[in-house]
């Protein structure tokens, strides 16, 4: 069946879009959905321990969000916003720019005394390839001059920048947070480990796909942007052992799903590797590795709701989301969570 973008639409009142993260992290609400029985339960996120069991493997994405939004000026004093998306080599990045008309190849932009950039090329999808010029360590300069690239639907200023990072974030490189992981606290992770659940880290740098809406009417015409991932030998072996022994692999977030499903072979077997993935998961899709999913509530008509629909069924996910709207759950990056199993 050919699905249309509109097949994944649901009505969402604007006041349900969360503007601030829950405090503490694990106090957000948790909608639990049993894929087999179609039963829905309403819990608090820290109750996730009631649904995990010894032997489960919980797969998290340890990417770290860069303060990737920079404000630059043209030589004529015009303002340009630059959002770092993907590092291509030491000084070259793929970026989103606004407004694009001021950023044709050859254009030089100045961020501050110690940081400037030159536009080298325009990609087929409209991003820019730029080369940065600076003195010192780029990451340190970015830490000083950049701001967290919050999604456009979050209008409130984030007072504590660390709240847009998971507590296990390690590897710099994302343009957005893997938000399903924002609900975990160190204490909750310790409790989960003490239950005999194995926590395995993979890496996927969240890039443009997070910001890009599906424009095509027929969803299979949509082109996913590629994102960099890494799976270590230790992570692959832990997941393979679980699959061999019939233990569950539970992905935290759609980014973990995309990493696992990009790497797994037809038998669900993983191997250590790194590279770029542009996998687009939508119904019908046969999951090779992932058995269950912890995730947030996603935008209507987005590739993320399509991914979850591949796990639950399209009509089922729309029913779940409509229940969540009725129950006044908080939506999107700083919103509440779901557990699908």
């Amino acid at each position: 069946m050919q699905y249309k973008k509109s097949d994944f639409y649901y009505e969402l009142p604007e006041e349900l879009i969360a503007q601030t993260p829950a405090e503490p992290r694990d106090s957000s609400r948790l909608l639990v959905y049993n894929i087999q029985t179609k039963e829905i339960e309403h819990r608090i996120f820290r109750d996730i321990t009631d649904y995990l069991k010894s032997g489960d493997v919980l797969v998290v994405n340890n990417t770290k969000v860069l303060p990737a939004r920079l404000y630059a000026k043209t030589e004529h004093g015009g303002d340009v916003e630059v959002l770092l998306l993907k590092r291509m080599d030491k000084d070259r990045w793929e970026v989103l720019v606004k407004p694009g008309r001021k950023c044709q190849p050859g254009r030089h932009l100045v961020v501050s005394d110690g940081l400037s950039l030159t536009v080298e090329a325009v990609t087929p999808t409209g991003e820019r390839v730029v080369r940065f010029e600076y003195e010192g360590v780029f990451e340190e300069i970015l830490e000083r001059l950049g701001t967290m690239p919050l999604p456009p639907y979050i209008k409130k200023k984030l007072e504590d920048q660390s709240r847009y990072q998971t507590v296990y974030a390690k590897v710099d490189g994302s343009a957005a947070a893997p938000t399903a992981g924002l609900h975990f606290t160190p204490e909750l992770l310790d409790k989960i480990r003490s239950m005999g659940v194995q926590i395995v880290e993979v890496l996927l740098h969240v890039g443009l796909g997070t910001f890009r809406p599906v424009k095509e009417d027929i969803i299979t015409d949509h082109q996913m942007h590629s994102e960099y991932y890494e799976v270590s030998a230790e992570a692959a072996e832990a997941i393979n052992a679980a699959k061999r022994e019939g233990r569950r692999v539970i992905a935290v977030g759609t980014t973990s799903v995309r990493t696992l499903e990009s790497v797994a072979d037809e038998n669900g077997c993983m191997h250590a590797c790194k590279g770029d993935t542009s996998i687009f998961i939508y119904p019908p899709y046969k999951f090779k590795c992932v058995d269950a999913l912890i995730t947030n509530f996603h935008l209507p008509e987005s590739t993320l709701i399509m991914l979850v629909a591949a796990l639950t069924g399209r009509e089922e996910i729309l029913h779940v989301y409509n229940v969540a709207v009725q129950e006044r759950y908080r939506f999107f990056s700083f919103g509440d969570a779901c557990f699908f199993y």
Side-chain angles (χ1 to χ4, degrees):
M1 170 174 182
Q2 275 209 325
Y3 281 113
K4 293 184 175 180
K5 175 177 73 168
S6 56
D7 290 329
F8 299 89
Y9 180 78
Y10 66 93
E11 288 282 347
L12 180 69
E14 196 174 339
E15 68 268 18
L16 295 185
I17 300 173
Q19 294 298 310
T20 54
E23 189 59 57
R25 288 173 183 260
D26 61 359
S27 67
S28 50
R29 295 169 72 191
L30 177 69
L31 185 150
V32 181
Y33 181 73
N34 184 312
I35 296 167
Q36 266 67 50
T37 66
K38 299 184 171 32
E39 183 186 359
I40 293 175
E41 295 175 79
H42 304 290
R43 304 292 294 270
I44 301 299
F45 190 79
R46 66 180 72 96
D47 298 336
I48 191 71
T49 51
D50 292 346
Y51 300 91
L52 303 177
K53 54 181 184 276
S54 180
D56 284 343
V57 172
L58 195 66
V59 181
V60 301
N61 178 7
N62 66 10
T63 189
K64 193 172 183 183
V65 187
L66 291 164
R69 183 169 275 133
L70 294 165
Y71 296 96
K73 288 201 177 291
T74 67
E75 54 264 45
H76 305 300
D79 293 318
V80 177
E81 187 180 305
V82 180
L83 178 63
L84 277 59
L85 294 172
K86 193 175 179 183
R87 193 172 212 152
M88 303 181 77
D89 55 43
K90 184 170 175 286
D91 300 327
R92 289 169 73 246
W93 284 77
E94 191 176 286
V95 303
L96 264 183
V97 292
K98 206 164 64 174
R101 69 178 184 281
K102 294 182 180 175
C103 299
Q104 297 311 313
R107 175 56 64 91
H108 189 70
L109 305 171
V110 176
V111 180
S112 79
D113 287 348
L115 182 65
S116 61
L117 60 138
T118 301
V119 180
E120 292 190 340
V122 181
T123 72
T125 45
E127 295 78 46
R128 302 302 193 268
V129 176
V130 303
R131 182 180 294 281
F132 282 97
E133 294 109 42
Y134 55 91
E135 287 178 16
V137 179
F138 184 74
E139 285 75 11
E140 290 173 5
I141 296 168
L142 199 59
E143 203 67 46
R144 195 173 73 249
L145 299 175
T147 60
M148 278 295 179
L150 292 180
Y153 49 75
I154 294 176
K155 313 288 188 227
K156 278 197 178 173
K157 186 172 185 291
L158 181 63
E159 297 303 331
D160 179 0
Q161 299 288 301
S162 72
R163 292 309 312 274
Y164 196 57
Q165 300 280 17
T166 62
V167 296
Y168 46 76
K170 286 181 188 164
V171 187
D172 280 326
S174 273
T179 53
L182 296 179
H183 306 283
F184 288 96
T185 63
E187 297 76 18
L188 181 57
L189 290 167
D190 286 344
K191 184 177 180 184
I192 288 168
R193 284 188 196 95
S194 72
M195 295 169 55
V197 175
Q198 193 174 2
I199 298 174
V200 169
E201 296 182 1
V202 297
L203 174 72
L204 183 133
H205 287 324
V206 188
L208 183 66
T210 297
F211 298 93
R212 173 180 281 164
V214 177
K215 292 198 172 80
E216 291 77 9
D217 191 34
I218 304 298
I219 66 169
T220 48
D221 293 340
H222 176 70
Q223 282 292 306
M224 287 290 278
H225 210 75
S226 73
E227 294 168 315
Y228 178 79
Y229 70 86
E230 289 181 12
V231 175
S232 68
E234 297 77 29
E237 183 41 50
I239 294 162
N240 289 341
K243 297 308 281 185
R244 279 196 306 270
E245 294 160 20
R247 295 184 277 120
R248 290 190 303 179
V249 173
I250 301 167
V252 176
T254 55
T255 61
S256 298
V257 173
R258 294 181 66 241
T259 305
L260 295 172
E261 294 295 316
S262 295
V263 175
D265 67 17
E266 289 309 311
N267 303 311
C269 187
M270 306 284 291
H271 54 280
C273 62
K274 57 180 74 172
D276 292 303
T277 180
S278 52
I279 189 171
F280 180 14
I281 296 173
Y282 52 85
Y285 176 85
K286 186 176 187 300
F287 285 86
K288 300 173 288 188
C289 182
V290 173
D291 300 303
L293 170 64
I294 296 168
T295 190
N296 281 19
F297 293 97
H298 303 296
L299 276 78
E301 301 184 337
S302 64
T303 60
L304 304 179
I305 193 174
M306 293 169 192
L307 182 151
V308 184
L311 190 66
T312 63
R314 185 192 72 90
E315 289 176 10
E316 288 78 3
I317 198 62
L318 292 177
H319 170 65
V320 167
Y321 272 47
N322 286 328
V323 169
V325 168
Q326 289 161 19
E327 296 288 331
R328 312 291 291 173
Y329 275 76
R330 299 165 78 239
F331 279 65
F332 307 161
S333 291
F334 284 148
D336 297 316
C338 315
F339 179 47
F340 298 103
Y341 73 105

